[in-house]
Amino acid sequence: MEDVVNEPENEPASEQDQASRRKDKLFRLRHSTAHIMAQAVVEMMPEAKLAIGPPIADGFYYDFELPRSLSDADLVEIESRMQKIIKGNHDFVRTSMSRDEAKKFFGEKEQGYKLELIDGIADEEMSIYTQGGFVDLCAGPHVGRSKACKHFKLLSVAGAYWRGDSTRPMLQRIYGTVWPTKEELDTFLEIKEEAKRRDHRRLGKELDLFSFHPYSPGAAFWHPSGLILYEELVRYWRELQKTAGYMEIRNPLIYDSELYAVSGHLDHYAQHMFTLECEGRTMCLKPMNCPDTMLFYKTKKRSYRELPMRVAETQTLHRNELSGALSGLTRCRQFTQDDAHIFATMDQIQDEILALLRMVHDTYALFDLDYRLYLSTRPADFMGELALWDQAEKALEQAIEKAGKPYHVNEGDGAFYGPKIDIYIRDSMGRMWQCATIQLDFQLPERFELEYVGADNAVHRPVVIHRAVFGSIERFIGVLLEHLAGAMPTWLSPQQAIFLPINDDCAAYCEKIAADWRAKGVRAEVDTRPEKMGYKIRLAELAKIPYMLVAGAKEIESGTLSLRTYKDGPRGELSVSEIETELLSRIAQRTLDVNIKKFDLDAFVDVEDLDAEAKEY
RNA sequence: GCCUGCAUAGCUCAGUCGGUAGAGCACUUCCUUGGUAAGGAAGAGGUCAUCGGUUCAAAUCCGAUUGCAGGCUCCA
C-alpha cells in the first residue's frame, strides 16, 4: 500500500521506537487534517478568522471565529469539501517568512489571532505550511500529501475561549478524528458508540440505581438498588480501614465561616461554598473534611505515642460547582469522599504512603481497574520550609519506588501546601479520572497549630496526609458502572440471585431456599409472576442479575436447581448446596466474577497527554 | 458562568405546511401454568419543561427561565 505519511527512513526495531513512530505518524496525520478542515471552512466562509488547530489525544480540532453559528448540517458540508481537497492530493509544503513578512501576510488577510500568535513566537523566522493554496502559520510537521488524511470524520462543534481564557472571545471549535486506516477509524467510532451505551447516566436509569431532579441539580437521588451498591462499597471501605488501623469519626455538616478563615479556604474557595445566614453568623456547608478533622485532633493533647493517627470520615460534602461543569455522578455538587487524614511525624511518612499505595492497589485490583500514578513536586508558589519539602518529596519517591509501580513525575505541579501523588483511573472512553489521591500538607498543621508531645517531652508539629481511595463514592460508582458496563460482581450486585419457578407448584420450593439464603445475607428474590421462562430470563438478564436459578418438577425431585449465571450463561443442574457454597464464597471473597470487555484504546490514545484533572482537596 | 444544541406518557422515540397528540416497552385487569432473552387481550396514562409573545389557531414560530447534553473555563 502506498504510504503517503512521512516516515522516518531508518527501521527501528524496539517496541518503544515503534510506539514513538506511531505517535509521530498520528500527530502529523491529525495536524494535517486540521489544516484541511480549516481550508474547507475558509472556502465556505471567507470571513472566517483562524485561531489554532492542534492534534489531540484521539483526533484534532480547529478554533474559528465565524460570522454565524455552525450546525451539524454545516459539518456535513465541511466534510464533503474536505473530501474534495483530500482527493486533490495536495503536497504539504513548508516555507518560511520573516516576522515582518508574516505580519504583513496575515495582516492583509485580517487574521488577528494569527498576528497575536506571531507576537508570541520567539524565533524571527516563521514556519509556514501550504497545501492546495491554503496557507497557515504552523510549526509542523505534516504528512507529505493530503491523501493520507482520507479516513477522517468530523465529530462535534463546541465553544472554546481564545487561548483558554474566559475573559477572551468565545470561538467555535470543530472536533474531528482521523486514522491511518479505515479499520482504525471504524474501531474508534465503534468504541465511541459502546461508550455511549455504557454511559453511567444511561445505566443508572436502566438499572434503576439513581436519578437526578431539577430541584437539586448536581445531587443524586439514590434508589434502593443504587443505595445497595453505595453501601456495599462503604462496607468494604470500613473493613479496609479497620484492618489498616484507622479510627472513624463523624463531624458536623455546617460550620461558621470562621473555620474556613482559619484553614485558609475562604480566600481561595469561597465562591464554591454554599453558605447560609444564621443569627447574624455566616455558616458554610462543608466542602471538604480537612478543617473539621483538625478540630477533632485538637480536642485533647496528643502524644507521639498516638502517631501515626489515622482518622477516617465519610461525610457528605457540598461544592457549588458551576452549572455547566456538572455531569452525572462524576461531577456533583453533593458527594461523599472516603476520606481520611493521617497525622504523622516526618519519619513515618514513607511507611504510611507505601501502605496507602498498597491499599489503593488492592482496592482497584478488586475491579481490575487500570490506574496510573503521578508524583507532583514543589510548585513555584510553595509555602513552608524548603528542607521540609525536600525531605517529603524524597519520602514520597522512595515509597512509590518501593511500591514498584511505574509513575510519572509532574515537576512543580504539587499543591502549594505540599507534594502529592495523584492516582488516575482510565474509564471506558480512555478518559482519565482522578479518584484516589494522596497529599501531604504542611500548611494545615501550621494554621491550626497542631501539636504533639514527643519522646523528648518537647512540643512538635505533625504532618498531615490527606487521602482518599475511591475518591468520591459517587464518581467511583460512575466510573465503575462504565468500566463493568453495569454488570457488577456478585458481592456488589444489588440483587444477587433470582429464582425462576417454572410454575406455581414450584414457587414454594424456591421461596424456601430463597428465605434460607436471605438469612445468610444473600440478596435473593423469587419471580412468581405468571410469565413464561423466556420472559423471566430476559428480564433477569437485562437486570444483570448474577445468579438465575430455574426450578421445575425435575429440580424439586432431585433437590437441585438449574443454574444460569450472567457471566457464563446456562450451567445446568447443580445441587442446592453446591450453588450456595459457590455463591457465599464469591460474596465473602469479593470475587470479580464478571466478564470485562476492555476497549483497546492504548493503541490509539497518547497516554502521556494527561489533562490535569481535579485537585479535590 | 460562557458557546452550541436538546426538552412530547415512567422509558425509548414518532408527530408533515401552525389546525387541540401517537407507537413500542413498562404499568393495571383478565386469559394463559410454562423449561433458559419478549404468550394473548383489554385498559389506564400527556397543561407537549416553565413563563410570556406572535396568530382566528402554537407541541410546532419568537423571547426569557430552568434542567440536561457536548465542549470551554473552573476544580484547595
Side-chain angles (χ1 to χ4, degrees):
Chain A
M1 195 183 87
E2 179 192 25
D3 192 351
V4 283
V5 178
N6 285 345
E7 286 274 17
E9 292 298 316
N10 53 343
E11 293 293 327
S14 82
E15 249 178 65
Q16 210 175 4
D17 281 345
Q18 270 181 5
S20 87
R21 278 179 65 192
R22 178 171 168 81
K23 211 167 129 180
D24 176 66
K25 185 173 177 172
L26 288 174
F27 182 97
R28 289 161 188 262
L29 200 55
R30 287 162 181 178
H31 203 173
S32 301
T33 312
H35 276 228
I36 291 168
M37 179 169 77
Q39 181 179 355
V41 169
V42 171
E43 265 181 32
M44 214 169 119
M45 299 183 194
E47 324 81 314
K49 307 270 181 281
L50 309 187
I52 53 166
I56 51 173
D58 47 20
F60 59 90
Y61 67 79
Y62 212 115
D63 288 347
F64 308 94
E65 185 188 305
L66 301 173
R68 63 173 176 85
S69 296
L70 290 173
S71 66
D72 286 348
D74 292 317
L75 288 191
V76 174
E77 188 184 338
I78 295 167
E79 269 188 4
S80 71
R81 285 175 184 269
M82 287 172 70
Q83 298 285 12
K84 248 179 237 163
I85 295 166
I86 287 166
K87 276 196 190 127
N89 208 17
H90 306 290
D91 290 322
F92 277 83
V93 183
R94 183 179 188 277
T95 52
S96 63
M97 290 183 190
S98 70
R99 180 178 299 277
D100 289 343
E101 277 177 320
K103 278 199 156 184
K104 183 156 175 283
F105 180 82
F106 288 105
E108 278 169 5
K109 294 187 165 231
E110 293 178 21
Q111 293 291 347
Y113 297 108
K114 293 295 175 190
L115 293 179
E116 198 177 322
L117 290 173
I118 291 168
D119 286 337
I121 295 172
D123 202 344
E124 279 308 306
E125 189 149 305
M126 303 295 143
S127 169
I128 304 289
Y129 273 86
T130 305
Q131 95 275 356
F134 175 81
V135 182
D136 201 356
L137 176 74
C138 177
H142 282 277
V143 298
R145 276 173 283 152
S146 62
K147 221 168 153 182
C149 305
K150 65 180 167 187
H151 305 295
F152 78 95
K153 185 163 174 45
L154 300 188
L155 301 171
S156 59
V157 193
Y161 298 112
W162 167 234
R163 303 218 130 167
D165 183 341
S166 58
T167 64
R168 317 233 22 207
M170 178 64 75
L171 306 172
Q172 295 190 66
R173 173 173 298 179
I174 305 177
Y175 282 96
T177 190
V178 61
W179 299 90
T181 64
K182 183 167 188 308
E183 290 69 36
E184 285 164 294
L185 174 64
D186 289 346
T187 305
F188 173 79
L189 295 174
E190 273 166 35
I191 288 170
K192 266 186 103 72
E193 280 305 305
E194 173 70 14
K196 220 185 264 178
R197 275 193 292 276
R198 52 164 85 185
D199 185 307
H200 75 276
R201 289 164 296 193
R202 179 182 175 143
L203 288 168
K205 207 178 272 180
E206 283 173 7
L207 301 173
D208 197 15
L209 302 174
F210 54 84
S211 60
F212 291 89
H213 193 279
Y215 282 167
S216 188
F221 287 68
W222 288 99
H223 296 199
S225 292
L227 188 60
I228 289 171
L229 247 174
Y230 191 107
E231 294 293 347
E232 281 293 341
L233 284 175
V234 173
R235 196 206 302 202
Y236 164 78
W237 176 84
R238 290 225 158 85
E239 285 176 25
L240 199 64
Q241 305 312 298
K242 213 181 253 179
T243 53
Y246 282 73
M247 55 185 88
E248 186 177 354
I249 59 169
R250 178 147 300 181
N251 287 344
L253 279 180
I254 301 175
Y255 296 88
D256 193 304
S257 60
E258 190 62 27
L259 173 66
Y260 301 104
V262 174
S263 71
H265 288 96
L266 221 47
D267 297 338
H268 303 272
Y269 209 70
Q271 55 180 348
H272 291 293
M273 286 162 58
F274 288 102
T275 58
L276 38 142
E277 294 302 316
C278 180
E279 295 187 345
R281 303 162 79 183
T282 302
M283 307 297 284
C284 306
L285 275 171
K286 73 164 161 172
M288 67 275 299
N289 298 308
C290 351
D292 53 85
T293 302
M294 300 302 119
L295 299 183
F296 162 74
Y297 180 90
K298 281 171 71 86
T299 52
K300 62 179 185 180
K301 193 159 191 164
R302 303 290 177 181
S303 154
Y304 75 98
R305 293 176 189 277
E306 293 178 79
L307 307 187
M309 189 168 122
R310 309 180 187 94
V311 185
E313 181 177 22
T314 58
Q315 181 61 290
T316 304
L317 306 178
H318 291 84
R319 295 182 183 181
N320 195 359
E321 304 287 354
L322 292 177
S323 57
L326 300 176
S327 180
L329 292 177
T330 48
R331 192 76 184 268
C332 298
R333 282 195 177 135
Q334 181 194 301
F335 60 99
T336 309
Q337 287 180 336
D338 62 320
D339 209 357
H341 293 85
I342 300 170
F343 301 87
T345 68
M346 209 55 190
D347 296 341
Q348 293 167 336
I349 284 175
Q350 190 181 320
D351 285 347
E352 288 304 308
I353 301 290
L354 185 58
L356 287 175
L357 288 172
R358 293 207 168 120
M359 192 183 267
V360 169
H361 181 85
D362 291 348
T363 302
Y364 289 5
L366 265 187
F367 308 104
D368 192 20
L369 274 169
D370 191 21
Y371 67 96
R372 297 201 163 76
L373 300 178
Y374 293 83
L375 173 62
S376 296
T377 58
R378 193 178 64 236
D381 62 342
F382 76 101
M383 289 181 77
E385 289 170 42
L386 196 64
L388 201 65
W389 274 87
D390 287 342
Q391 200 185 343
E393 285 179 5
K394 210 168 152 199
L396 285 188
E397 199 161 344
Q398 281 170 355
I400 218 168
E401 290 281 355
K402 269 193 192 170
K405 171 102 184 163
Y407 65 100
H408 302 277
V409 178
N410 288 336
E411 292 289 352
D413 214 29
F416 70 84
Y417 51 74
K420 60 175 182 173
I421 299 171
D422 286 325
I423 296 138
Y424 285 80
I425 292 180
R426 228 155 84 172
D427 79 2
S428 58
M429 272 190 81
R431 289 176 300 199
M432 306 290 273
W433 287 105
Q434 190 196 17
C435 288
T437 182
I438 301 171
Q439 306 187 5
L440 288 195
D441 195 328
F442 309 131
Q443 277 305 303
L444 229 36
E446 292 288 336
R447 287 183 165 271
F448 283 88
E449 300 177 325
L450 301 188
E451 294 175 343
Y452 67 89
V453 178
D456 56 0
N457 200 29
V459 168
H460 300 273
R461 183 138 292 164
V463 174
V464 165
I465 305 171
H466 307 259
R467 59 112 264 211
V469 179
F470 294 135
S472 107
I473 315 267
E474 286 78 1
R475 175 178 289 181
F476 191 82
I477 289 176
V479 171
L480 202 54
L481 279 169
E482 301 194 2
H483 178 64
L484 299 174
M488 294 294 149
T490 305
W491 71 273
L492 252 188
S493 193
Q495 193 174 346
Q496 296 169 320
I498 187 154
F499 288 83
L500 310 171
I502 296 282
N503 58 39
D504 290 350
D505 299 337
C506 315
Y509 176 74
C510 291
E511 292 282 10
K512 189 167 173 292
I513 304 170
D516 182 36
W517 284 8
R518 277 197 292 268
K520 289 170 178 158
V522 180
R523 296 184 285 273
E525 300 291 334
V526 184
D527 183 355
T528 53
R529 277 181 297 190
E531 295 287 352
K532 294 201 169 142
M533 193 46 55
Y535 183 78
K536 291 185 183 182
I537 290 281
R538 176 179 157 77
L539 290 195
E541 284 282 340
L542 288 176
K544 304 179 197 295
I545 300 169
Y547 279 74
M548 289 162 268
L549 306 142
V550 178
K554 217 167 45 167
E555 286 81 3
I556 295 176
E557 175 100 10
S558 55
T560 59
L561 290 163
S562 278
L563 175 62
R564 177 186 174 114
T565 62
Y566 187 79
K567 178 173 184 284
D568 297 318
R571 283 173 52 186
E573 229 178 296
L574 294 164
S575 76
V576 175
S577 66
E578 198 175 339
I579 297 171
E580 182 186 310
T581 305
E582 178 184 290
L583 177 59
L584 292 178
S585 142
R586 285 184 177 184
I587 292 170
Q589 305 292 317
R590 296 199 168 94
T591 308
L592 185 62
D593 54 347
V594 292
N595 296 318
I596 299 180
K597 183 179 156 200
K598 282 194 181 173
F599 297 144
D600 186 19
L601 278 170
D602 279 310
F604 305 125
V605 178
D606 178 7
V607 296
E608 306 299 323
D609 278 348
L610 176 66
D611 292 332
E613 224 272 330
K615 302 167 186 92
E616 295 285 350
Y617 281 94

